[in-house]
Amino acid sequence: KPLRLLRLILLIFGSGVLSASYSPESKWKVTNANGSLRVAAEVPGCVHTALLKARLIEDPYYRFNDLIYGWISHDNWTYSTTFSLQSTNSEWVNLILEGIDTVATVSVNKVLVGNTNNMFLRYSFDVTNVIKEVNVLEIAFTSAVTYAAAQWNAHTSYPVPPVCSPPVQKGECHVNFIRKEQCSFSWDWGPSFPTQGIWKPIEIEAFDIFQLVYLTSVPSYGMFFMFVKYSVPVDLWWPHGHGEQNGYDTVINISMNGHSIERRKKVYFRSVELIQEPVPGSAGLSFYFKVNGQAVFIKGSNWIPADSFQDRVTLDILRNLLQSAVDANMNTLRVWGGGVYEQDEFYKICDELGIMIWQDFMFACAFYPVEESFLEIVRKEITHQLRRLKSHPSIILWSANNENEAAVATNWFSVPSSTLPIYMKDYVTLYVNNIRDIIINEDKSRPFLSSSPTNGQESIREGWIAKNPYDTNYGDTHFYNYTNDCWDWKKFPKTRFASEYGFQSWPSFSTLQKISIPEDWDFISSFTDHRQHHLKGNKEMIMQAYLHYSQPMSKDPLQKYKDTLYLTQVMQAQCIKIQTEFYRRSRNEVVEGKGHTMGALYWQLNDIWQAPSWSSIEYGGKWKMLHYFAKSFFAPVLPVGFEDDGTLYIYAISDLPKDLQLQLLVKVYQWSSMDPVCSTITESLVVKAESAHPIYKESVSSLLKTGGNCTRERCVVVFSLQAYGKQYGPNNHVYLSSLNVAEGLKKPQISAVIGQRKEDFIITLKTTAIAPYVWLDVGDIPGQFDTNGFLMLENLKNITFLPWKPTTIAEMNKLLQITSLMDIS
Ligand code: BMA
């Protein structure tokens, strides 16, 4: 037989790629178990989106529809299609399923060719002997919920909790028994939509001798790449803010017996190390990343799935969210372990934009079974995902799970303590003896962590499960506290690396309006309760907000509702600002044995639906106030102020590679006037490269004496870094009292004139008084302001709005609403 090559494949469906053999019959249908529902389906896609498209259901995100449509996930659906194939006399014909969600039997022409039970696996089934010219392909799903329960029931030796999601999440049970997006059974920010469907393309491939399944490279320089040794290149890949994202276009030719395959691939070179070494003056070990030999402060957030229905996560959505991360001066995202290994495009964009990825494996907040059958599919999953992803320079770390070391160490699920050793052993079996072993074999080019949070080396020393995985002297920490006053930075752990911390807020009215009706627009409503999946979440937000801001008092219920939404965003933005600035300024210091903080990843970047959550970006892409604040508190050069025992300190923070000579300008304002009562500028001082150092110290009482009749309640301190009249980094300020007791703040009249400059809009604001937290909102016109949520101290201020889709001044004028703090009391 002549030697013919490979994978000259018929892409039968998916991703809009149609082969010559595409025929009208290659359309999918999806049918429920009793045949009463039968609709056209798209591949990639899922049952929910097929039903929505067929108008058999409304928007699943609308009001309470997540509960109403629970039946969809409990039914068993079958996808079927007919496709024709050009006659092939190839030796082998495979059916390739890039992603099946999740439990299904696959048959071709009524012959069973394989089973699937792992959403994160690529399946290849041999169909050589069943394939004809015209074929019927059928993928019959079993409900993920039913399957998970059956697995749990079959596991009789001992329970593997958490069993069900907490009632407030209105979710399903036993998600840890199925290799599927863990948050699809509900989470504390997300609905329960345990989808069924074909979430990645399906292909047929025919070949005779060999096939190319994975083409991988590892981005470390000096490493072996394919068959060629590269010496250390000149142009390395750097994270955003630290250099260019250089890469090389390569052509790879693989030959065998005179036959060859050629592929093009972009390859990158960079090195990454996780440094855990003694820290002078501190017990424990450091925990920081060096990229290309340089220490990098990790700034960013945590990524969750961008939709419950993955087929709706388009390239545009990914690009927009990732660009928003970069625009907020982030250099890193953590792909959190309760979601999905993201699509190839996600990592490609991160490579291009220089966003470093802390990549979790998809295990979260649970104990997991370790039967051989479970381990076997996990091993396949890990191997597949490593081979798919390891070429990306953006991925700087593999981390085996989210919070499962902590779950075992501190017995989250209250199993009898006598049985804890079983779970500890299982933990090591899964994450160390299986997952870690595979990673070490497949990819030595980036560090591995067994969990997040973990104590790193110290956890290993303690047998992979530290007594306290939240130890601030080791590894990374997650920290949440909603009852402490978030303005009190002393309540935050001075950790080596903050990989999760956060506060909730509500999305804006324009986002909620799309999925609710007027009776829902009240902070005390069944809708408000329904969308809140974190126990006491709404109360906590309000309590935290009222510590420092006055309660919305409008007599108009709708206005009061909108004001409350606004206030939750103010609270969240301010809390995370204070906490993040604390982490950034702790970079170079060790105080009472604590410090040397080298990472701040707040929880969470994005949303899965329109609901209260910890996110800084709403479902749909709109930036919350926090995201605008992040742009400032993650700025490469930033002055940060805070009070300690009656003394005001200002630190200069710089992530730039070179020292700067700058002056610090400090102004004191009375709330009642836009003219500062005092203004001082320091001598030129050195702001050291890649560091955080104190540059100013003054007792608050003497500062207050410098101007007018200042008191803590009457005045505010504002500062910025300058050189020769040019400002470096954003303005910053310190409030000397809570704003609900501030004196002199007046209700400002803020007017706006909108002009256009090319595709941008310039909004000229004019205020009659100092205005804290000035918030510009243009409803659902998609786009971003250059700044928002700011403290307006000057009479006039120009704001730029960059629309993401063309719009007009008339539309902007119609929708623009301006709110500031004093409007709501
Ligand atoms: C962390 C995360 C998520 C969760 C978040 C907010 O622990 O890992 O599980 O959504 O807290 O509660």
Side-chain angles (χ1 to χ4, degrees), residues 187-189 336 365 402-403 478 480 482 500 603 614:
W187 213 261
D188 59 2
W189 35 255
W336 167 76
C365 302
N402 174 70
E403 298 183 342
H478 295 187
Y480 295 93
Y482 310 109
E500 276 192 26
W603 185 265
W614 294 256

Side-chain angles (χ1 to χ4, degrees), residues 301 320-330 333 569 572-573 602 604-606 615-618 621-634 775 784 788:
S301 184
N320 181 265
L321 285 168
L322 293 170
Q323 187 62 51
S324 290
V326 166
D327 290 349
N329 289 312
M330 298 184 181
L333 294 174
Q569 291 207 15
Q572 179 199 34
Y602 67 76
Q604 69 203 64
L605 180 77
N606 55 323
S615 79
S616 62
I617 302 180
E618 300 175 6
K622 187 170 177 173
W623 291 16
K624 287 180 176 173
M625 195 179 293
L626 170 58
H627 208 73
Y628 290 100
F629 272 46
K631 189 176 172 185
S632 292
F633 64 61
F634 283 143
W775 182 244
Q784 68 199 68
N788 209 350

Side-chain angles (χ1 to χ4, degrees), residues 675-740:
D675 296 318
V677 288
C678 124
S679 173
T680 51
I681 189 152
T682 64
E683 296 286 298
S684 176
L685 42 88
V686 181
V687 172
K688 285 195 211 137
E690 294 175 2
S691 68
H693 286 288
I695 53 168
Y696 179 87
K697 182 181 170 186
E698 184 68 86
S699 84
V700 173
S701 54
S702 47
L703 202 66
L704 292 174
K705 280 184 204 130
T706 53
N709 51 355
C710 262
T711 62
R712 284 179 169 276
E713 289 74 25
R714 273 192 217 135
C715 293
V716 57
V717 189
V718 180
F719 40 87
S720 59
L721 291 164
Q722 323 249 327
Y724 306 107
K726 180 179 168 249
Q727 187 169 331
Y728 275 72
N731 275 333
N732 212 339
H733 52 263
V734 166
Y735 296 137
L736 301 172
S737 78
S738 300
L739 297 194
N740 50 11

